[in-house]
Amino acid sequence: GFEPPLPLTDSLFPHQRDIVRWACLRGRAAIFASFGLGKTRMQLEVARQVVAHATSETAGDEEHSPLFLIVAPLAMRGEFRREGEAMGMSPMFVRTDAEVDAARFVGVCIFITNYESVREGKINPARFVGVSLDEAAILRGFGGTKTFREAMATMAGDDRRDMSARVVTDGVKYRFVATATPSPNEFIELLAYSAFLGTMDVSTAKTRFFQRDSE
């Protein structure tokens, strides 16, 4: 993680400012915040800070300027645009890599897309320096869903889509999830976030914290 390089926007409430700074310091973090606490604004501010930090590391390399991707349900794109405009930002909704290419050359660096575009391979998350999964509870389907497998393969660098082999890469450097606080009993959901963020592999967590039973 890193210390936020820009002054945090004044439009954030104190709890939002604390969470944004904590998330940046971790570099990979889960924002578990109940409905109404401002997950949309927090994700946008995290994205702004990540882009600023990464830009300072790649100064002068305009061809590879850092980009940030927020993956959200399609119905959320309007809220992200409205909140972004209120914060003085201009996040753009895209569905394909071609749309990303067209927008980045006019100065857009924060993008929003829907889960289907990632799941169907229309957008390659590996080209982004940071990603955030909004309404991340979609991962609770775990290994049994294509959405989870694609997120792990394209963002977390743990590709098990071909069940005969496992390919491990670095994945996207900065990764975040945002969702209403999971129930303390939703162990599988929590393990899914742990795996995506690179906190602990699922099999390691099961061995350490649970009595494993193959049946």
PDB file of all heavy atoms in Angstrom, residues 39-41 43-44 70-73 76-86 89 91 112 132 134:
ATOM      1  N   LYS A  39     -20.225   3.624  -0.001  1.00  0.00           N
ATOM      2  CA  LYS A  39     -19.216   2.784  -0.659  1.00  0.00           C
ATOM      3  C   LYS A  39     -18.848   3.325  -2.036  1.00  0.00           C
ATOM      4  O   LYS A  39     -17.708   3.215  -2.464  1.00  0.00           O
ATOM      5  CB  LYS A  39     -19.719   1.341  -0.776  1.00  0.00           C
ATOM      6  CG  LYS A  39     -19.845   0.612   0.545  1.00  0.00           C
ATOM      7  CD  LYS A  39     -20.202  -0.855   0.367  1.00  0.00           C
ATOM      8  CE  LYS A  39     -21.591  -1.051  -0.189  1.00  0.00           C
ATOM      9  NZ  LYS A  39     -22.648  -0.582   0.755  1.00  0.00           N
ATOM     10  N   THR A  40     -19.825   3.931  -2.721  1.00  0.00           N
ATOM     11  CA  THR A  40     -19.556   4.450  -4.070  1.00  0.00           C
ATOM     12  C   THR A  40     -18.500   5.553  -4.019  1.00  0.00           C
ATOM     13  O   THR A  40     -17.511   5.518  -4.762  1.00  0.00           O
ATOM     14  CB  THR A  40     -20.852   4.992  -4.703  1.00  0.00           C
ATOM     15  OG1 THR A  40     -21.812   3.938  -4.791  1.00  0.00           O
ATOM     16  CG2 THR A  40     -20.577   5.537  -6.100  1.00  0.00           C
ATOM     17  N   ARG A  41     -18.693   6.525  -3.145  1.00  0.00           N
ATOM     18  CA  ARG A  41     -17.723   7.628  -3.047  1.00  0.00           C
ATOM     19  C   ARG A  41     -16.364   7.139  -2.560  1.00  0.00           C
ATOM     20  O   ARG A  41     -15.327   7.619  -3.008  1.00  0.00           O
ATOM     21  CB  ARG A  41     -18.261   8.719  -2.119  1.00  0.00           C
ATOM     22  CG  ARG A  41     -19.381   9.518  -2.738  1.00  0.00           C
ATOM     23  CD  ARG A  41     -19.535  10.884  -2.114  1.00  0.00           C
ATOM     24  NE  ARG A  41     -20.522  11.673  -2.839  1.00  0.00           N
ATOM     25  CZ  ARG A  41     -20.604  12.988  -2.800  1.00  0.00           C
ATOM     26  NH1 ARG A  41     -19.731  13.669  -2.066  1.00  0.00           N
ATOM     27  NH2 ARG A  41     -21.522  13.642  -3.484  1.00  0.00           N
ATOM     28  N   GLN A  43     -15.001   4.215  -3.080  1.00  0.00           N
ATOM     29  CA  GLN A  43     -14.313   3.531  -4.182  1.00  0.00           C
ATOM     30  C   GLN A  43     -13.766   4.532  -5.197  1.00  0.00           C
ATOM     31  O   GLN A  43     -12.652   4.372  -5.699  1.00  0.00           O
ATOM     32  CB  GLN A  43     -15.270   2.568  -4.877  1.00  0.00           C
ATOM     33  CG  GLN A  43     -15.609   1.335  -4.066  1.00  0.00           C
ATOM     34  CD  GLN A  43     -16.588   0.449  -4.798  1.00  0.00           C
ATOM     35  OE1 GLN A  43     -16.215  -0.403  -5.596  1.00  0.00           O
ATOM     36  NE2 GLN A  43     -17.870   0.662  -4.523  1.00  0.00           N
ATOM     37  N   LEU A  44     -14.539   5.554  -5.502  1.00  0.00           N
ATOM     38  CA  LEU A  44     -14.073   6.567  -6.453  1.00  0.00           C
ATOM     39  C   LEU A  44     -12.848   7.301  -5.920  1.00  0.00           C
ATOM     40  O   LEU A  44     -11.892   7.569  -6.667  1.00  0.00           O
ATOM     41  CB  LEU A  44     -15.199   7.559  -6.750  1.00  0.00           C
ATOM     42  CG  LEU A  44     -16.332   7.031  -7.635  1.00  0.00           C
ATOM     43  CD1 LEU A  44     -17.522   7.979  -7.597  1.00  0.00           C
ATOM     44  CD2 LEU A  44     -15.844   6.836  -9.074  1.00  0.00           C
ATOM     45  N   ILE A  70     -13.502  -0.031 -12.040  1.00  0.00           N
ATOM     46  CA  ILE A  70     -14.514  -0.399 -11.052  1.00  0.00           C
ATOM     47  C   ILE A  70     -15.511  -1.314 -11.744  1.00  0.00           C
ATOM     48  O   ILE A  70     -16.108  -0.944 -12.769  1.00  0.00           O
ATOM     49  CB  ILE A  70     -15.233   0.840 -10.494  1.00  0.00           C
ATOM     50  CG1 ILE A  70     -14.238   1.747  -9.756  1.00  0.00           C
ATOM     51  CG2 ILE A  70     -16.366   0.420  -9.550  1.00  0.00           C
ATOM     52  CD1 ILE A  70     -14.818   3.078  -9.326  1.00  0.00           C
ATOM     53  N   VAL A  71     -15.680  -2.517 -11.217  1.00  0.00           N
ATOM     54  CA  VAL A  71     -16.615  -3.484 -11.784  1.00  0.00           C
ATOM     55  C   VAL A  71     -17.856  -3.485 -10.906  1.00  0.00           C
ATOM     56  O   VAL A  71     -17.760  -3.691  -9.686  1.00  0.00           O
ATOM     57  CB  VAL A  71     -15.998  -4.893 -11.855  1.00  0.00           C
ATOM     58  CG1 VAL A  71     -16.922  -5.833 -12.624  1.00  0.00           C
ATOM     59  CG2 VAL A  71     -14.613  -4.851 -12.510  1.00  0.00           C
ATOM     60  N   ALA A  72     -19.001  -3.244 -11.513  1.00  0.00           N
ATOM     61  CA  ALA A  72     -20.230  -3.073 -10.731  1.00  0.00           C
ATOM     62  C   ALA A  72     -21.420  -3.633 -11.502  1.00  0.00           C
ATOM     63  O   ALA A  72     -21.373  -3.762 -12.734  1.00  0.00           O
ATOM     64  CB  ALA A  72     -20.460  -1.589 -10.440  1.00  0.00           C
ATOM     65  N   PRO A  73     -22.500  -3.953 -10.807  1.00  0.00           N
ATOM     66  CA  PRO A  73     -23.738  -4.315 -11.510  1.00  0.00           C
ATOM     67  C   PRO A  73     -24.158  -3.186 -12.446  1.00  0.00           C
ATOM     68  O   PRO A  73     -23.961  -2.004 -12.139  1.00  0.00           O
ATOM     69  CB  PRO A  73     -24.751  -4.510 -10.372  1.00  0.00           C
ATOM     70  CG  PRO A  73     -23.909  -4.851  -9.177  1.00  0.00           C
ATOM     71  CD  PRO A  73     -22.650  -4.044  -9.344  1.00  0.00           C
ATOM     72  N   MET A  76     -25.758   0.103 -11.382  1.00  0.00           N
ATOM     73  CA  MET A  76     -25.017   1.049 -10.544  1.00  0.00           C
ATOM     74  C   MET A  76     -24.263   2.107 -11.347  1.00  0.00           C
ATOM     75  O   MET A  76     -23.724   3.045 -10.765  1.00  0.00           O
ATOM     76  CB  MET A  76     -24.029   0.287  -9.660  1.00  0.00           C
ATOM     77  CG  MET A  76     -24.680  -0.618  -8.634  1.00  0.00           C
ATOM     78  SD  MET A  76     -25.651   0.309  -7.430  1.00  0.00           S
ATOM     79  CE  MET A  76     -24.358   1.269  -6.641  1.00  0.00           C
ATOM     80  N   ARG A  77     -24.227   1.975 -12.666  1.00  0.00           N
ATOM     81  CA  ARG A  77     -23.381   2.903 -13.434  1.00  0.00           C
ATOM     82  C   ARG A  77     -23.845   4.346 -13.292  1.00  0.00           C
ATOM     83  O   ARG A  77     -23.020   5.269 -13.234  1.00  0.00           O
ATOM     84  CB  ARG A  77     -23.335   2.480 -14.902  1.00  0.00           C
ATOM     85  CG  ARG A  77     -24.664   2.543 -15.638  1.00  0.00           C
ATOM     86  CD  ARG A  77     -24.488   2.174 -17.100  1.00  0.00           C
ATOM     87  NE  ARG A  77     -25.770   2.183 -17.795  1.00  0.00           N
ATOM     88  CZ  ARG A  77     -25.896   1.998 -19.091  1.00  0.00           C
ATOM     89  NH1 ARG A  77     -24.820   1.762 -19.829  1.00  0.00           N
ATOM     90  NH2 ARG A  77     -27.077   2.014 -19.671  1.00  0.00           N
ATOM     91  N   GLY A  78     -25.171   4.557 -13.219  1.00  0.00           N
ATOM     92  CA  GLY A  78     -25.671   5.918 -13.058  1.00  0.00           C
ATOM     93  C   GLY A  78     -25.242   6.530 -11.742  1.00  0.00           C
ATOM     94  O   GLY A  78     -24.867   7.705 -11.687  1.00  0.00           O
ATOM     95  N   GLU A  79     -25.287   5.751 -10.667  1.00  0.00           N
ATOM     96  CA  GLU A  79     -24.880   6.261  -9.360  1.00  0.00           C
ATOM     97  C   GLU A  79     -23.401   6.627  -9.355  1.00  0.00           C
ATOM     98  O   GLU A  79     -23.022   7.666  -8.801  1.00  0.00           O
ATOM     99  CB  GLU A  79     -25.161   5.227  -8.276  1.00  0.00           C
ATOM    100  CG  GLU A  79     -24.757   5.704  -6.893  1.00  0.00           C
ATOM    101  CD  GLU A  79     -25.134   4.743  -5.784  1.00  0.00           C
ATOM    102  OE1 GLU A  79     -25.995   3.869  -6.014  1.00  0.00           O
ATOM    103  OE2 GLU A  79     -24.574   4.876  -4.678  1.00  0.00           O
ATOM    104  N   PHE A  80     -22.560   5.798  -9.965  1.00  0.00           N
ATOM    105  CA  PHE A  80     -21.129   6.110 -10.005  1.00  0.00           C
ATOM    106  C   PHE A  80     -20.882   7.397 -10.797  1.00  0.00           C
ATOM    107  O   PHE A  80     -20.042   8.211 -10.413  1.00  0.00           O
ATOM    108  CB  PHE A  80     -20.342   4.950 -10.607  1.00  0.00           C
ATOM    109  CG  PHE A  80     -19.933   3.918  -9.597  1.00  0.00           C
ATOM    110  CD1 PHE A  80     -20.676   2.770  -9.427  1.00  0.00           C
ATOM    111  CD2 PHE A  80     -18.815   4.113  -8.793  1.00  0.00           C
ATOM    112  CE1 PHE A  80     -20.314   1.814  -8.482  1.00  0.00           C
ATOM    113  CE2 PHE A  80     -18.445   3.175  -7.850  1.00  0.00           C
ATOM    114  CZ  PHE A  80     -19.193   2.017  -7.695  1.00  0.00           C
ATOM    115  N   ARG A  81     -21.607   7.575 -11.894  1.00  0.00           N
ATOM    116  CA  ARG A  81     -21.420   8.796 -12.676  1.00  0.00           C
ATOM    117  C   ARG A  81     -21.866  10.026 -11.885  1.00  0.00           C
ATOM    118  O   ARG A  81     -21.183  11.055 -11.874  1.00  0.00           O
ATOM    119  CB  ARG A  81     -22.194   8.684 -14.002  1.00  0.00           C
ATOM    120  CG  ARG A  81     -21.418   7.963 -15.098  1.00  0.00           C
ATOM    121  CD  ARG A  81     -21.932   8.347 -16.470  1.00  0.00           C
ATOM    122  NE  ARG A  81     -23.287   7.853 -16.680  1.00  0.00           N
ATOM    123  CZ  ARG A  81     -23.620   6.979 -17.623  1.00  0.00           C
ATOM    124  NH1 ARG A  81     -22.690   6.473 -18.410  1.00  0.00           N
ATOM    125  NH2 ARG A  81     -24.871   6.600 -17.781  1.00  0.00           N
ATOM    126  N   ARG A  82     -23.035   9.916 -11.229  1.00  0.00           N
ATOM    127  CA  ARG A  82     -23.549  11.064 -10.461  1.00  0.00           C
ATOM    128  C   ARG A  82     -22.620  11.412  -9.304  1.00  0.00           C
ATOM    129  O   ARG A  82     -22.290  12.589  -9.081  1.00  0.00           O
ATOM    130  CB  ARG A  82     -24.951  10.751  -9.936  1.00  0.00           C
ATOM    131  CG  ARG A  82     -26.032  10.747 -10.992  1.00  0.00           C
ATOM    132  CD  ARG A  82     -27.412  10.697 -10.349  1.00  0.00           C
ATOM    133  NE  ARG A  82     -27.617   9.475  -9.580  1.00  0.00           N
ATOM    134  CZ  ARG A  82     -28.081   8.341 -10.085  1.00  0.00           C
ATOM    135  NH1 ARG A  82     -28.354   8.248 -11.374  1.00  0.00           N
ATOM    136  NH2 ARG A  82     -28.279   7.284  -9.305  1.00  0.00           N
ATOM    137  N   GLU A  83     -22.195  10.394  -8.559  1.00  0.00           N
ATOM    138  CA  GLU A  83     -21.304  10.647  -7.424  1.00  0.00           C
ATOM    139  C   GLU A  83     -19.960  11.177  -7.908  1.00  0.00           C
ATOM    140  O   GLU A  83     -19.359  12.054  -7.282  1.00  0.00           O
ATOM    141  CB  GLU A  83     -21.119   9.371  -6.608  1.00  0.00           C
ATOM    142  CG  GLU A  83     -22.379   8.877  -5.912  1.00  0.00           C
ATOM    143  CD  GLU A  83     -22.778   9.744  -4.725  1.00  0.00           C
ATOM    144  OE1 GLU A  83     -22.070  10.711  -4.408  1.00  0.00           O
ATOM    145  OE2 GLU A  83     -23.817   9.445  -4.117  1.00  0.00           O
ATOM    146  N   GLY A  84     -19.474  10.640  -9.019  1.00  0.00           N
ATOM    147  CA  GLY A  84     -18.206  11.110  -9.569  1.00  0.00           C
ATOM    148  C   GLY A  84     -18.269  12.576  -9.957  1.00  0.00           C
ATOM    149  O   GLY A  84     -17.355  13.356  -9.653  1.00  0.00           O
ATOM    150  N   GLU A  85     -19.344  12.960 -10.613  1.00  0.00           N
ATOM    151  CA  GLU A  85     -19.500  14.361 -11.010  1.00  0.00           C
ATOM    152  C   GLU A  85     -19.582  15.272  -9.794  1.00  0.00           C
ATOM    153  O   GLU A  85     -19.040  16.379  -9.791  1.00  0.00           O
ATOM    154  CB  GLU A  85     -20.741  14.503 -11.888  1.00  0.00           C
ATOM    155  CG  GLU A  85     -20.581  13.864 -13.265  1.00  0.00           C
ATOM    156  CD  GLU A  85     -21.891  13.812 -14.034  1.00  0.00           C
ATOM    157  OE1 GLU A  85     -22.916  14.283 -13.481  1.00  0.00           O
ATOM    158  OE2 GLU A  85     -21.881  13.302 -15.171  1.00  0.00           O
ATOM    159  N   ALA A  86     -20.254  14.794  -8.745  1.00  0.00           N
ATOM    160  CA  ALA A  86     -20.363  15.593  -7.516  1.00  0.00           C
ATOM    161  C   ALA A  86     -19.009  15.770  -6.852  1.00  0.00           C
ATOM    162  O   ALA A  86     -18.791  16.737  -6.116  1.00  0.00           O
ATOM    163  CB  ALA A  86     -21.345  14.927  -6.551  1.00  0.00           C
ATOM    164  N   MET A  89     -15.099  14.455 -10.584  1.00  0.00           N
ATOM    165  CA  MET A  89     -14.442  13.402 -11.359  1.00  0.00           C
ATOM    166  C   MET A  89     -15.336  13.026 -12.539  1.00  0.00           C
ATOM    167  O   MET A  89     -16.531  13.316 -12.553  1.00  0.00           O
ATOM    168  CB  MET A  89     -14.180  12.177 -10.474  1.00  0.00           C
ATOM    169  CG  MET A  89     -13.354  12.471  -9.251  1.00  0.00           C
ATOM    170  SD  MET A  89     -13.408  11.149  -8.020  1.00  0.00           S
ATOM    171  CE  MET A  89     -12.720   9.792  -8.957  1.00  0.00           C
ATOM    172  N   PRO A  91     -15.701   9.580 -14.202  1.00  0.00           N
ATOM    173  CA  PRO A  91     -15.543   8.161 -14.541  1.00  0.00           C
ATOM    174  C   PRO A  91     -16.392   7.815 -15.759  1.00  0.00           C
ATOM    175  O   PRO A  91     -17.481   8.365 -15.938  1.00  0.00           O
ATOM    176  CB  PRO A  91     -16.047   7.445 -13.286  1.00  0.00           C
ATOM    177  CG  PRO A  91     -17.022   8.406 -12.673  1.00  0.00           C
ATOM    178  CD  PRO A  91     -16.470   9.777 -12.962  1.00  0.00           C
ATOM    179  N   ILE A 112     -15.682   2.407 -15.408  1.00  0.00           N
ATOM    180  CA  ILE A 112     -16.674   1.537 -14.778  1.00  0.00           C
ATOM    181  C   ILE A 112     -17.140   0.538 -15.832  1.00  0.00           C
ATOM    182  O   ILE A 112     -17.364   0.907 -16.997  1.00  0.00           O
ATOM    183  CB  ILE A 112     -17.887   2.345 -14.280  1.00  0.00           C
ATOM    184  CG1 ILE A 112     -17.437   3.481 -13.366  1.00  0.00           C
ATOM    185  CG2 ILE A 112     -18.890   1.439 -13.568  1.00  0.00           C
ATOM    186  CD1 ILE A 112     -18.459   4.575 -13.223  1.00  0.00           C
ATOM    187  N   SER A 132     -11.639  -2.431  -8.431  1.00  0.00           N
ATOM    188  CA  SER A 132     -12.508  -2.509  -7.266  1.00  0.00           C
ATOM    189  C   SER A 132     -13.795  -3.207  -7.683  1.00  0.00           C
ATOM    190  O   SER A 132     -14.373  -2.883  -8.728  1.00  0.00           O
ATOM    191  CB  SER A 132     -12.819  -1.110  -6.722  1.00  0.00           C
ATOM    192  OG  SER A 132     -13.635  -1.193  -5.558  1.00  0.00           O
ATOM    193  N   ASP A 134     -17.520  -3.656  -6.925  1.00  0.00           N
ATOM    194  CA  ASP A 134     -18.666  -3.127  -6.194  1.00  0.00           C
ATOM    195  C   ASP A 134     -19.732  -4.216  -6.083  1.00  0.00           C
ATOM    196  O   ASP A 134     -19.890  -5.031  -6.985  1.00  0.00           O
ATOM    197  CB  ASP A 134     -19.242  -1.916  -6.937  1.00  0.00           C
ATOM    198  CG  ASP A 134     -20.395  -1.290  -6.187  1.00  0.00           C
ATOM    199  OD1 ASP A 134     -20.164  -0.808  -5.062  1.00  0.00           O
ATOM    200  OD2 ASP A 134     -21.519  -1.270  -6.719  1.00  0.00           O
TER     201      ASP A 134
END
